[in-house]
């Protein structure tokens, strides 16, 4: 049956406690054919109205702004060349199309799937802390879905559209803390508007955008944002973007009561996966390595107090 809307302020709707392996059919080949991607609204009429979406009213549960414990500086001013609403609308449409295809191929998890319930419970805890990083997040219609596929992959699109692949949960045997670190990392890409900044930089370079064009409405960039196609989930972020996402995600997860040390164990698992498997979609855009782990280890103490306070609360 269709998923119930989920309000972060009220908690999850009544979930089916029993799980039968036959209740959701995952066709990995069909899911893979739907597209390989690295990063990952209110239901519309017609077919999409009945899809098993997951809507989170983030604004109702937005936490009061508090001082960040990690230092990532200010967001790129270049992102302002692309209208945020235009990009988010494009992301919403792309996400809807992708989930629709997954559902048609029987690769979209139903509301009673335990792994999906687990992911949504994690999102429920993270979302109240997102608005301090981006005030627009108060109005985002957060959505979490699970796609049956062997791909080691997850993403969060602009506007809060999240998807995990079963492969990343199963093959890496993620704990809840580690899954929260991935979700926080992907949320951080959206909150820090890395796709928006990356698109602005790419388009400004490719079309030779002049200062005059920048001052006269940015029509070319607005059109580019509206016609992204599959680019949103295949954008490769810079090393600086990845570091920001690591640290902001680390803090989000710590505030939500997830063990910061899991960020280190997660990327060690990622490193092991890199050595044992080739062409992992997530790792093609999220390279693992000693430096990444060192940066996380250096920042874990900064958020330990947040984690401990959350556990006490």
């Amino acid at each position: 049956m269709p998923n119930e809307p989920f309000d972060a302020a009220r908690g999850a709707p009544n979930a089916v406690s029993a799980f039968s392996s036959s209740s959701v059919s995952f066709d990995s080949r069909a899911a893979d054919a739907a597209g390989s991607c690295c990063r990952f609204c209110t239901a519309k009429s017609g077919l999409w109205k009945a899809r098993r979406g997951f809507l989170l009213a983030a604004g109702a549960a937005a936490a009061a702004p508090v001082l960040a414990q990690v230092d990532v500086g200010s967001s790129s001013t270049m992102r302002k060349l692309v209208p945020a609403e235009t990009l988010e609308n494009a992301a919403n449409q792309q996400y809807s199309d992708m989930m629709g295809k997954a559902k048609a191929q029987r690769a979209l998890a139903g509301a009673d799937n335990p792994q999906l319930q687990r992911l949504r419970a994690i999102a429920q805890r993270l979302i109240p802390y997102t608005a301090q990083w981006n005030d627009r997040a108060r109005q985002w219609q957060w959505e979490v879905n699970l796609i049956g596929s062997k791909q080691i992959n997850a993403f969060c699109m602009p506007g809060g559209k999240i998807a995990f692949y079963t492969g990343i949960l199963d093959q890496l045997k993620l704990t809840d803390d580690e899954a929260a670190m991935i979700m926080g990392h992907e949320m951080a890409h959206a909150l820090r508007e890395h796709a928006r900044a990356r698109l602005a930089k790419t388009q400004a370079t490719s079309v030779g955008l002049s200062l005059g064009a920048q001052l006269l409405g940015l029509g070319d960039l607005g059109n580019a944002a509206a016609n992204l196609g599959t680019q949103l989930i295949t954008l490769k972020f810079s090393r600086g973007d990845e570091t920001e996402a690591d640290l902001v995600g680390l803090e989000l997860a710590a505030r939500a009561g997830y063990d910061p040390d899991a960020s280190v164990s997660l990327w060690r698992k990622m490193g092991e996966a890199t050595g044992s498997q080739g062409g992992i979609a997530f790792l093609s855009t999220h390279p693992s390595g000693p430096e990444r782990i060192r940066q996380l280890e250096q920042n874990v103490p900064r958020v330990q107090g947040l984690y401990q306070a959350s556990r006490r609360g």
Side-chain angles (χ1 to χ4, degrees), residues 135-209:
D135 195 60
R136 290 185 63 83
R138 299 178 189 275
Q139 283 74 48
W140 288 355
Q141 295 296 309
W142 292 88
E143 192 168 346
V144 179
N145 276 293
L146 176 65
I147 297 174
S149 170
K150 293 181 179 179
Q151 289 185 36
I152 296 181
N153 210 355
F155 63 82
C156 178
M157 289 183 177
K161 305 305 185 186
I162 299 169
F164 271 62
Y165 289 72
T166 53
I168 200 167
L169 300 174
D170 298 338
Q171 295 185 49
L172 298 186
K173 295 180 172 56
L174 297 180
T175 65
D176 283 0
D177 294 302
E178 291 167 342
M181 293 300 158
I182 289 180
M183 190 176 292
H185 174 101
E186 297 305 324
M187 284 179 166
H189 277 306
L191 294 168
R192 297 290 287 179
E193 299 184 297
H194 291 157
R196 188 180 172 197
R198 179 62 50 189
L199 176 66
K201 292 173 184 176
T202 300
Q203 293 298 323
T205 300
S206 65
V207 302
L209 190 65

